[in-house]
Amino acid sequence: MSSTPLTLNLGDGSISFSFSAQAARELKAAIDQLMLSLKAVAAKPTPGSGKVTPQPPLEYRYTGEVFLEVFCNPNIWPTPFAAKVLLTIRNVGIRLTTEAELTRIIEDINQYLEQVG
């Protein structure tokens, strides 16, 4: 089965790889949950007024023609707009590990989902 390649724009370039629409929807759902966690962290009470409940990290994995892993700890970012994710993309011949802006990844996934319908 042929699939439309997903292009993720990184700070210094981009990477395209085979990705399914179903996997993109699953990744979008995981990122939507991450956004809720990031918003919960950003809405933390004023210092000294109480303990903030730590939010679970995003740990998304996809295995197809390539292995994709997306990781983000929402507890270390002050706002969703400042957040970055750690991307690992690999196959038999190459491995790329880099940080990417969460907002850019969200745009790339939304654009991909618009293309594949």
Side-chain angles (χ1 to χ4, degrees):
M1 178 179 135
S2 172
S3 63
T4 302
L6 169 64
T7 299
L8 297 177
N9 291 289
L10 310 171
D12 291 324
S14 64
I15 185 166
S16 297
F17 53 91
S18 180
F19 204 62
S20 71
Q22 178 61 34
R25 285 188 286 276
E26 291 169 5
L27 178 55
K28 182 176 180 353
I31 289 176
D32 288 347
Q33 186 61 47
L34 172 65
M35 289 298 287
L36 293 175
S37 295
L38 285 160
K39 289 175 183 175
V41 170
K44 64 186 171 211
T46 56
S49 65
K51 186 174 182 181
V52 176
T53 303
Q55 297 294 312
L58 165 66
E59 296 182 80
Y60 173 85
R61 288 180 184 86
Y62 166 79
T63 303
E65 288 184 30
V66 298
F67 171 81
L68 168 68
E69 183 176 51
V70 182
F71 177 83
C72 182
N73 180 350
N75 302 296
I76 63 172
W77 301 105
T79 71
F81 304 105
K84 292 188 179 183
V85 296
L86 179 64
L87 294 174
T88 300
I89 302 162
R90 64 180 161 88
N91 68 10
V92 175
I94 192 167
R95 177 187 181 112
L96 170 71
T97 301
T98 189
E99 269 191 340
E101 294 177 10
L102 177 60
T103 53
R104 183 67 237 177
I105 297 300
I106 291 169
E107 290 174 19
D108 292 341
I109 293 167
N110 288 338
Q111 182 178 12
Y112 174 81
L113 286 170
E114 287 175 12
Q115 288 176 356
V116 298

